[in-house]
Amino acid sequence: MATIIDGKAIAAKLRIEIAADALALTAQGIQPGLAVVLVGEDPASAVYVSMKEKACAAAGIFSDEHKLPADTAEAALLALIHRLNNDSRIHGILVQLPLPGHIDTDKVLEAISPLKDVDGFHPYNVGRLVVGKPLFQPCTPYGVMVMLKESGVSLAGKEVVVVGRSNIVGKPVAFMCLQEHATVTLCHSRTKDLAVHVGRADVVIAAVGKAEMIKGEWIKPGAVVIDVGVNRVGEKKLVGDVEFAAAAERASAITPVPGGVGPMTITMLLYNTVESAKRQAKSEK
Ligand code: NDP
């Protein structure tokens, strides 16, 4: 049976360190600050934003919330971002996605200063990641890398198969694994023989969004399985992209859903915000 990689425990440990760093910075007169911008009333987005606010409060990070109506003009949102870019109390700016249809998401993300882009979605930060000189790394894939490290999984020379090529999870995690000297295969909806690719992997990272589509019998005995997927089945049950019970019989280590990658995402957002404040503190010395 596989070891369970406990994301909740890893996140809790990291949050204690983040809070200690935030406290030390605050004592130097630089309290880390995160601006969170929510446009509209999407219920899932509202839940994420409130989780982020609570996490900031618990870590001693100043949280600056901007809840704007759904009909906010693009120009008004861009003006707010411009203000936040120039506000020295703010070290990270997060615009909750998705934005309403009349707003150009790319334009908004590119308006955020790359030096405050704690989500790591600005093309500047994407480019830095690709050339192997990351500044801000996107939170979910960054969380995956921290979990692997905390679990003692070294990637050098390993076959990593990533399933899913989104800009927020699949692509960045593939580049992060490459940076750690893995041999990386990036699979997607047009990939032929997915089972064969997955079956070769020493480490499988699943980020698809389809309940249990990766079958336990595909997993190579001894492989490490990281399941980013969160899929609702029925009223209350959440499952990942991997058939957990069957995969756990073959894998050496596996993340559960929930309680795996999920708790790491907000943790890495807090981490990025505090790192940004540290950079400001250094530049002021
Ligand atoms: P996207 O929908 O943006 O991307 C899904 C990817 O899966 C696409 O690249 C798509 O391929 C690929 N895909 C779809 N069907 C198949 C298939 N049959 N075989 C192989 N690949 C396939 O999703 P995200 O990356 O945003 O999210 C993925 C999952 O991770 C979701 O369940 C989401 O909820 C979860 N998630 C969890 C987070 C957390 O904090 N735990 C944070 C972010 C996401 P193609 O490009 O060809 O269409």
Side-chain angles (χ1 to χ4, degrees), residues 9-23 58-59 267 270:
I10 297 170
K13 182 177 143 224
L14 202 52
R15 286 190 196 202
I16 291 171
E17 293 167 16
I18 293 167
D21 285 356
L23 192 64
T267 305
L270 304 176

Side-chain angles (χ1 to χ4, degrees), residues 48 139-141 162-171 187-191 194 206-211 213-214 227-231 239-241 260-266:
Y48 290 135
C139 301
T140 300
V162 179
V163 190
R165 58 172 164 181
S166 72
N167 288 333
I168 63 166
V169 190
K171 276 185 212 160
C187 299
H188 46 79
S189 66
R190 312 281 181 95
T191 297
L194 183 62
V208 180
K210 289 195 173 155
M213 58 104 41
I214 294 175
D227 193 349
V228 183
V230 181
N231 309 288
V239 299
D241 291 342
V261 177
M264 294 302 292
T265 299
I266 292 183

Side-chain angles (χ1 to χ4, degrees), residues 128-134 137 145 155 173-182 184:
R128 295 270 311 226
L129 176 62
V130 172
V131 296
K133 293 183 177 142
Q137 307 196 59
M145 301 309 285
L155 293 181
V173 88
F175 280 101
M176 290 175 192
C177 292
L178 192 59
Q179 186 68 13
E180 294 299 320
H181 314 295
V184 182

Side-chain angles (χ1 to χ4, degrees), residues 75-87:
L77 178 57
L78 292 171
L80 169 63
I81 290 171
H82 185 68
R83 262 203 334 273
L84 296 169
N85 282 341
N86 292 302
D87 184 340

Side-chain angles (χ1 to χ4, degrees), residues 23-242:
L23 192 64
L25 283 160
T26 305
Q28 291 172 48
I30 300 181
Q31 183 183 18
L34 174 68
V36 180
V37 181
L38 173 65
V39 185
E41 274 106 40
D42 176 54
S45 294
V47 169
Y48 290 135
V49 165
S50 116
M51 283 164 68
K52 286 166 188 172
E53 287 162 5
K54 281 192 193 127
C56 278
I61 293 172
F62 162 61
S63 137
D64 182 29
E65 300 135 32
H66 297 267
K67 293 184 177 146
L68 310 178
D71 62 356
T72 298
E74 184 181 279
L77 178 57
L78 292 171
L80 169 63
I81 290 171
H82 185 68
R83 262 203 334 273
L84 296 169
N85 282 341
N86 292 302
D87 184 340
S88 62
R89 297 171 310 156
I90 300 299
H91 305 96
I93 302 171
L94 179 145
V95 176
Q96 185 66 44
L97 301 180
L99 288 168
H102 66 282
I103 296 177
D104 180 342
T105 301
D106 287 342
K107 205 166 164 186
V108 170
L109 294 181
E110 288 177 33
I112 296 172
S113 162
L115 302 177
K116 297 190 177 186
D117 173 37
V118 281
D119 254 343
F121 293 160
H122 192 290
Y124 173 85
N125 281 311
V126 176
R128 295 270 311 226
L129 176 62
V130 172
V131 296
K133 293 183 177 142
L135 183 69
F136 287 112
Q137 307 196 59
C139 301
T140 300
Y142 201 4
V144 167
M145 301 309 285
V146 170
M147 292 177 95
L148 287 169
K149 198 165 173 218
E150 289 285 323
S151 310
V153 179
S154 156
L155 293 181
K158 299 273 173 65
E159 291 276 344
V160 174
V161 171
V162 179
V163 190
R165 58 172 164 181
S166 72
N167 288 333
I168 63 166
V169 190
K171 276 185 212 160
V173 88
F175 280 101
M176 290 175 192
C177 292
L178 192 59
Q179 186 68 13
E180 294 299 320
H181 314 295
T183 302
V184 182
T185 304
L186 195 43
C187 299
H188 46 79
S189 66
R190 312 281 181 95
T191 297
K192 288 186 184 141
D193 298 330
L194 183 62
V196 172
H197 289 287
V198 171
R200 273 191 297 107
D202 300 310
V203 179
V204 180
I205 302 174
V208 180
K210 289 195 173 155
E212 299 178 329
M213 58 104 41
I214 294 175
K215 302 300 166 202
E217 68 199 31
W218 298 357
I219 304 298
K220 181 164 94 174
V224 174
V225 178
I226 306 288
D227 193 349
V228 183
V230 181
N231 309 288
R232 194 165 287 282
V233 178
E235 280 286 292
K236 286 200 176 134
K237 195 171 173 219
L238 289 182
V239 299
D241 291 342
V242 180

